Amino acid sequence: MSGIFGVVSGGDCAQTLFYGTDYHSHLGTEYAGLAVLGKKFHRQIHTLDQTQFKSKFYEDYRRMKGNKGIGVISDLDEQPIYLNSCFGPFCIVTNGFIENSEELTRGLLKNGISFSEVSKGAVNSTELVAKLISQGNNLIDGIEKALAKISGSCSLLLLNKDGVYAARDRFGYTPLVLGKDKTGWAVTTEASAFPNIGFKVTKYLQPGEIVLLNEDGILDKKRGGNINQICAFLWIYTGFPASSYEGINVETVRERCGRCLAQRDRDMDVDVVSGVPDSGTAHAIGYAMESGKPFRRPLVKYTPGYGRSYTPPSQEIRDLIARMKLIPIKEIIKGKRIVLCEDSIVRGTQLKSFTVKKLQDCGAKEIHVRPACPPLMFPCRFNLSTRSINELAARRAIKALEGKDIKDVTEYVNHNSEKYRKMVEWIANDLDVTTLKYQTVDDMVKAIGLPKEKLCLYCWTGKIPEREK
Ligand code: SF4
């Protein structure tokens, strides 16, 4: 995952860029970078494996001078990439995942284009985008052609003497939002970066739209299209609660998800409604509001120093963090019938070993798990998560029930089928919980509030939109 931020301001932009980029720290734990353009480019990249963004870049940003800049937090590549192209020098950051990167790289190599950066043994995908852009007739033509060639998802910010070019990927899988303060303009993945640095949202970029932010304001360079496949997971889990995508706030969607779950539990009596922090909390608040049962926190997260548990690349570290960060409160748990809202069940191992187990050890009488999204059947097409297909709890259940891995899981996706019921029963037994009831696809879509065809639901349905094929 990645988050990108860009700004053009009336004076020095480095402080705004520093804090605006830092507000994307929940989206990645591997690399971060800033580039500012004043009299010359100032660029800095650091790994984030041992230290958080703020401490790594604090001294750097204070030395950066210029009124325009771009920043990135990324799990994929070291960025920003600097390229002295035929259109002049530029720096670029990207957010997304290029499915056909090998094919595009081969094509460029054949044309005599060389690559200098390596990212995890492969070509750095941001350098690949930079080189694709440099093949155009001009910068805008280059961006348009690059995005048209890319299969998958890629939004980008490009910094040069003109200002900051912002382009959202043509199917809109990843968001980009424009904002304004007293003296300048900014663009961000997470709209939650704006309020505390004084910006107000002015526009949600359309899929495929390209704009230029400069001292004169926002100049339209290419109109956006109607095809939108924004990632539904942004609202369920990955997005920040204070963010909005397509004008729809994350926290309120999570509350609506919780309400939908509670509506399917009308006949259930419990003592406590709780959520697995952080994103499970808002789902649980919605459940509590709908059911009238008290929201309480039997598990609190020790936040200082701990990021989200799935972002570190190693499973060992993820498990260690998961074990350490949630602390149970026995006084709230003992003898209680508890609803536990969770954003999603990926592997289920952390939920079982480090969450349910803690509640059981503290004497919970009943544990009713309510994931805010349907069973995950497929890993993200764009590598927005670390899971592989065989790790998914639903796939393990299907393998156990069928005696082998199967390709066609249509019946298991249908929440009215007997196979679905058996799969959920298997996962509930594996988790060792009293009951388990997943959100349905339709309720999740209803909670988000966009038409189904404007959302990517691949993780749950395995369906790739016809128009994209
Ligand atoms: S495949 Fe899943 S995580 Fe990836 S963009 Fe689609 S919904 Fe989001």
Side-chain angles (χ1 to χ4, degrees):
M1 291 167 58
S2 309
I4 52 183
F5 184 88
V7 62
V8 176
S9 110
D12 263 342
C13 74
Q15 189 181 51
T16 304
L17 180 67
F18 172 75
Y19 284 105
T21 306
D22 180 52
Y23 275 125
H24 295 79
S25 293
H26 58 290
L27 293 175
T29 53
E30 293 272 300
Y31 310 108
L34 299 176
V36 168
L37 179 56
K39 285 185 183 140
K40 57 177 186 168
F41 282 98
H42 305 258
R43 184 174 66 124
Q44 194 65 54
I45 301 171
H46 290 296
T47 57
L48 296 178
D49 48 357
Q50 300 298 329
T51 321
Q52 291 174 340
F53 176 89
K54 278 196 284 291
S55 35
K56 277 275 168 98
F57 285 87
Y58 185 73
E59 292 302 328
D60 298 323
Y61 99 76
R62 287 149 64 89
R63 283 194 293 268
M64 291 176 157
K65 297 277 172 245
N67 78 322
K68 38 189 170 280
I70 53 176
V72 63
I73 304 270
S74 170
D75 269 345
L76 203 58
D77 295 318
E78 295 190 39
Q79 328 177 24
I81 292 292
Y82 171 85
L83 193 71
N84 196 358
S85 77
C86 49
F87 319 121
F90 65 75
C91 279
I92 181 171
V93 292
T94 63
N95 176 20
F97 184 73
I98 303 173
E99 289 178 307
N100 56 342
S101 63
E102 283 182 23
E103 178 194 328
L104 293 171
T105 305
R106 274 197 306 275
L108 288 175
L109 288 169
K110 229 183 197 172
N111 289 337
I113 308 294
S114 307
F115 293 88
S116 59
E117 304 286 331
V118 175
S119 188
K120 294 176 182 166
V123 162
N124 176 307
S125 55
T126 306
E127 184 184 10
L128 173 61
V129 177
K131 297 279 166 79
L132 285 170
I133 290 171
S134 68
Q135 303 294 292
N137 298 323
N138 54 53
L139 205 50
I140 295 297
D141 180 62
I143 294 173
E144 276 186 56
K145 284 186 178 149
L147 294 187
K149 279 182 191 152
I150 288 169
S151 155
S153 136
C154 181
S155 294
L156 63 89
L157 302 179
L158 186 151
L159 170 70
N160 76 353
K161 61 176 177 26
D162 305 336
V164 173
Y165 289 89
R168 186 172 172 196
D169 82 68
R170 63 193 171 118
F171 296 112
Y173 286 101
T174 46
L176 273 182
V177 189
L178 299 176
K180 181 171 178 24
D181 77 347
K182 276 186 249 144
T183 66
W185 298 87
V187 55
T188 184
T189 303
E190 290 284 34
S192 50
F194 279 165
N196 290 351
I197 56 171
F199 282 78
K200 285 207 169 84
V201 171
T202 56
K203 185 176 180 184
Y204 295 86
L205 277 192
Q206 295 295 303
E209 187 168 359
I210 304 174
V211 295
L212 169 64
L213 288 65
N214 67 15
E215 292 76 2
D216 300 325
I218 307 268
L219 309 177
D220 293 330
K221 293 292 174 183
K222 182 178 178 268
R223 289 180 65 165
N226 278 328
I227 300 175
N228 195 350
Q229 297 295 324
I230 188 165
C231 170
F233 235 132
L234 286 165
W235 284 280
I236 303 301
Y237 175 38
T238 48
F240 198 73
S243 261
S244 296
Y245 316 111
E246 320 299 3
I248 300 171
N249 170 255
V250 171
E251 181 84 353
T252 55
V253 167
R254 289 179 187 166
E255 288 178 0
R256 287 199 290 272
C257 277
R259 281 185 181 275
C260 289
L261 288 166
Q263 283 159 11
R264 289 176 180 269
D265 272 346
R266 292 281 187 221
D267 52 353
M268 201 171 71
D269 199 14
V270 292
D271 305 305
V272 172
V273 178
S274 66
V276 181
D278 291 322
S279 40
T281 301
H283 297 298
I285 288 170
Y287 191 109
M289 290 194 295
E290 185 69 23
S291 65
K293 301 291 177 188
F295 170 76
R296 301 192 74 186
R297 296 194 302 157
L299 297 159
V300 286
K301 185 168 155 191
Y302 188 76
T303 45
Y306 286 115
R308 288 177 146 186
S309 59
Y310 85 105
T311 42
S314 126
Q315 184 63 42
E316 211 177 299
I317 299 173
R318 284 198 293 271
D319 286 350
L320 180 69
I321 292 174
R323 179 157 62 88
M324 292 300 178
K325 72 182 180 183
L326 287 186
I327 305 175
I329 303 175
K330 199 168 186 175
E331 289 76 359
I332 293 178
I333 299 167
K334 194 169 169 32
K336 297 290 194 310
R337 298 166 300 173
I338 299 171
V339 162
L340 183 68
C341 292
E342 172 67 302
D343 45 70
S344 55
I345 298 179
V346 183
R347 301 169 187 85
T349 45
Q350 290 183 359
L351 181 64
K352 178 180 175 175
S353 311
F354 309 125
T355 310
V356 169
K357 176 87 169 46
K358 284 175 189 174
L359 294 175
Q360 288 166 337
D361 288 349
C362 289
K365 191 174 170 196
E366 295 174 8
I367 302 168
H368 303 274
V369 173
R370 296 294 179 266
C373 68
L376 289 163
M377 291 284 182
F378 300 88
C380 174
R381 294 172 57 205
F382 308 120
N383 207 20
L384 296 181
S385 65
T386 53
R387 58 188 179 259
S388 73
I389 196 159
N390 294 327
E391 290 175 309
L392 298 173
R395 290 292 185 151
R396 285 192 289 114
I398 293 169
K399 186 175 182 179
L401 292 168
E402 298 279 345
K404 59 179 180 189
D405 289 319
I406 59 166
K407 277 201 173 140
D408 183 0
V409 291
T410 316
E411 281 191 71
Y412 288 100
V413 170
N414 173 6
H415 72 272
N416 291 315
S417 76
E418 181 58 14
K419 288 202 167 188
Y420 176 93
R421 191 190 66 71
K422 285 198 168 140
M423 174 187 71
V424 175
E425 190 180 86
W426 189 96
I427 300 170
N429 284 335
D430 187 54
L431 292 173
D432 194 18
V433 294
T434 317
T435 66
L436 168 67
K437 210 185 275 181
Y438 284 88
Q439 190 80 281
T440 65
V441 172
D442 287 345
D443 277 353
M444 180 176 71
V445 170
K446 188 173 83 181
I448 292 171
L450 282 175
K452 205 172 188 172
E453 63 277 10
K454 291 204 171 283
L455 290 166
C456 178
L457 301 168
Y458 178 83
C459 286
W460 303 282
T461 65
K463 288 192 183 143
I464 298 172
E466 274 305 314
R467 54 200 163 194
E468 196 201 322
K469 285 181 194 163

